[in-house]
Amino acid sequence: MTDVQLRNLVKTYPGSSTRATDEVSLDIADGEFMVLLGPSGCGKTTLLRMLAGLELPDAGQIVVGGRDVTYLPPKDRNLSMVFQSYAVFPHRKVRDNIGFGLAMRGMDRNEIRRKVDWAADLLQLGAYLDRYPTQLSGGQRQRVAVARAIVVDADVLLMDEPLSNLDALLRLSFRSELKKLVEEIGITTLYVTHDQSEALSLGNRVAVMREGVIVQCDDPLMVYDRPASRFVGGFIGSPPMNFLTVQIDKNVDGPGTAADLGGHVIPAPAALRTLHGGPVHLGVRAETIAISHDPGAQAVRATVRVFEPLGSAVLVSVDVEGQEIKVQAPNTFRAAPGDTVWLTFAPSDLRWYDAETDLALETV
Ligand SMILES: Nc1ncnc2c1ncn2[C@@H]1O[C@H](COP(=O)(O)OP(=O)(O)OP(=O)(O)O)[C@@H](O)[C@H]1O
Ligand SMILES: [Mg+2]
């Protein structure tokens, strides 16, 4: 059983006035693939390096498999790490690159060969074992780095943006290979990225970080569907979640209430009735909005600003009462700038955020 517990980790670099990680706590279950996602500089690498033992926290505790490793040197933690840059040895053949960690541990040569063949097979590197890294493509080189990390039978695999040097197509194919591989070997993994689509596709859970703090940790579909704050909704998804500022009308009779958007009425949950007056932010995903050239009951009038074909869908930027949002429609939909269109929002797709704190409002 190798689960990981990070408890209240604080790290301030010398000469810095802000905390790179600020009381971060995170539990990773045995065999779980946890993704750490957040914008540049939010503290992801710092957290990973503290777990690896390459950086010491100022306060807090790190427990791996029930053992307190907070102040142990890296070599006593039994973790392996893949870095952002390829970090393969140019003067060693692929075979010796993969087996490097095993040789360092003094493993028997036949045993090393067996393990290297196993990893090369998993990562489709069998044909390249006697080549040098300069004779490989970027994706193959990155696979060598991953193979080297998995042969050593580590308890936890740490990866810091391992795909960032690959072009878009290679990233996509290597992403699914990596997912399959980690599922096969079932190793507890912490994976760092600032790419939200990578996070959603790979993670059993995604921990979203901002300015040294984990702001939401949940399964990928929940993070996408129910962002805990405007920040999370705006960071995850392509396009990001739309936000509209609306006024809650508390004087509506019946089971719900209403949000007023420049005279248009959008149904809102009754729980919002208890809010103090003033505006709230309405969050809505582009693909959940229905768009039509014909006015329907409760449809909201909008004006088309930009029409973008995406291939599998079309993206329409529209102006609603002076606020711009994006609507993703089927690729059969056509519109031109200046057209009047009508939008329909399904109440179950609407998320509500406090105008001051930007945090999700309880609506049930
Ligand atoms: N060695 C260091 N000395 C001083 N400050 C540092 C050091 N390493 C990182 N920092 C600072 O700590 C904060 C967190 O950095 P970190 O590298 O953890 O971010 P990150 O989330 O990994 O970003 P990126 O996505 O760009 O890799 C940043 O403000 C950074 O400038
Ligand atoms: Mg980093």
Side-chain angles (χ1 to χ4, degrees), residues 126-303:
Y128 310 106
L129 283 172
D130 288 313
R131 289 202 195 175
Y132 288 94
T134 49
Q135 300 167 304
L136 301 178
S137 73
Q140 291 162 344
R141 237 175 285 173
Q142 194 61 323
R143 290 211 292 268
V144 174
V146 173
R148 192 174 59 193
I150 64 167
V151 284
V152 293
D153 278 335
D155 293 330
V156 182
L157 182 59
L158 306 177
M159 290 189 268
D160 194 351
E161 313 229 13
L163 308 187
S164 55
N165 275 328
L166 309 181
D167 70 43
L169 261 184
L170 213 51
R171 264 181 105 109
L172 268 187
S173 67
F174 195 35
R175 186 170 91 189
S176 13
E177 283 174 31
L178 194 62
K179 180 165 181 159
K180 202 170 89 198
L181 171 82
V182 173
E183 273 166 9
E184 261 174 53
I185 58 178
I187 186 171
T188 308
T189 302
L190 182 59
Y191 183 101
V192 163
T193 181
H194 61 254
D195 179 330
Q196 53 91 24
S197 64
E198 211 169 284
L200 295 181
S201 97
L202 286 172
N204 294 129
R205 280 191 299 160
V206 177
V208 185
M209 238 180 136
R210 180 192 197 185
E211 294 171 0
V213 175
I214 291 177
V215 292
Q216 185 169 10
C217 179
D218 222 324
D219 82 66
L221 296 177
M222 280 300 278
V223 173
Y224 181 83
D225 189 44
R226 297 192 175 273
S229 65
R230 281 190 62 174
F231 169 78
V232 176
F235 192 71
I236 291 180
S238 175
M241 186 174 242
N242 292 299
F243 293 98
L244 286 162
T245 305
V246 297
Q247 298 286 334
I248 295 295
D249 180 354
K250 294 197 237 185
N251 301 317
V252 177
D253 292 331
T257 180
D260 181 303
L261 178 60
H264 293 292
V265 170
I266 295 171
L272 298 187
R273 229 184 253 168
T274 59
L275 289 179
H276 54 85
V280 299
H281 296 306
L282 166 58
V284 58
R285 290 283 181 197
E287 70 277 15
T288 66
I289 305 170
I291 184 168
S292 166
H293 288 284
D294 307 312
Q298 288 205 324
V300 174
R301 185 191 164 102
T303 308

Side-chain angles (χ1 to χ4, degrees), residues 6 14 22-23 33 50 61 68 73 112 133 143 185 213 239 247-248 274 289 359:
L6 308 179
D22 190 0
E23 305 257 346
F33 196 119
M50 286 193 285
Q61 195 186 26
D68 185 335
I112 293 179
R143 290 211 292 268
I185 58 178
V213 175
Q247 298 286 334
I248 295 295
T274 59
I289 305 170
L359 297 178

Side-chain angles (χ1 to χ4, degrees), residues 2-4 28 32 51 63-65 77-81 149 152-159 187-190:
T2 311
D3 51 350
V4 174
I28 311 170
E32 183 172 30
L51 176 52
V63 179
V64 176
R77 299 190 181 201
N78 201 25
L79 313 171
S80 63
M81 190 153 173
V152 293
D153 278 335
D155 293 330
V156 182
L157 182 59
L158 306 177
M159 290 189 268
I187 186 171
T188 308
T189 302
L190 182 59

Side-chain angles (χ1 to χ4, degrees), residues 291 293 302-307 316-319 333 335-341:
I291 184 168
H293 288 284
T303 308
V304 174
R305 291 285 176 242
V306 185
F307 177 85
V316 193
S317 302
V318 299
D319 181 294
F333 184 81
D339 284 0
T340 293
V341 288

Side-chain angles (χ1 to χ4, degrees), residues 13 20 39-46 161 194:
Y13 287 103
S40 183
C42 72
K44 305 177 298 293
T45 296
T46 302
E161 313 229 13
H194 61 254

